[in-house]
Amino acid sequence: IRNREKRGRYGKFFVEGVSSVNLAIKNGWEFDTIIFEKGRQLSDWADTILKSVPAELHLELAAPLMAKLSDR
């Protein structure tokens, strides 16, 4: 969640990028949801994250929606 008020209200936020995700895992953060782009070939790293990091939900989003959520 990018809006500061909503992050505080819901206690959730959006983390993206290999370094940031690796740091979150290293520091024991819990993941509600892991989001990835539908139809895109996942890297070995991303595949490992999906298989090894506990999350309540894995969301596979269409490219336009993923682009809207992502900084990329």
Side-chain angles (χ1 to χ4, degrees):
I1 300 174
R2 297 199 185 271
N3 177 288
R4 180 180 291 193
E5 179 183 327
K6 290 179 182 175
R7 281 193 310 264
R9 184 181 313 151
Y10 299 112
K12 299 185 186 299
F13 53 92
F14 191 86
V15 177
E16 68 178 315
V18 172
S19 297
S20 297
V21 171
N22 284 340
L23 193 57
I25 293 166
K26 178 181 176 184
N27 285 289
W29 291 7
E30 294 181 11
F31 290 73
D32 277 357
T33 307
I34 297 177
I35 302 171
F36 57 100
E37 188 175 316
K38 184 176 185 172
R40 184 174 182 179
Q41 178 71 36
L42 296 177
S43 67
D44 289 341
W45 172 84
D47 192 47
T48 299
I49 295 299
L50 284 173
K51 290 177 182 170
S52 65
V53 175
E56 292 179 27
L57 183 63
H58 289 172
L59 283 179
E60 193 174 15
L61 300 181
L65 182 54
M66 189 69 184
K68 194 169 186 174
L69 289 174
S70 177
D71 281 338
R72 294 180 180 176

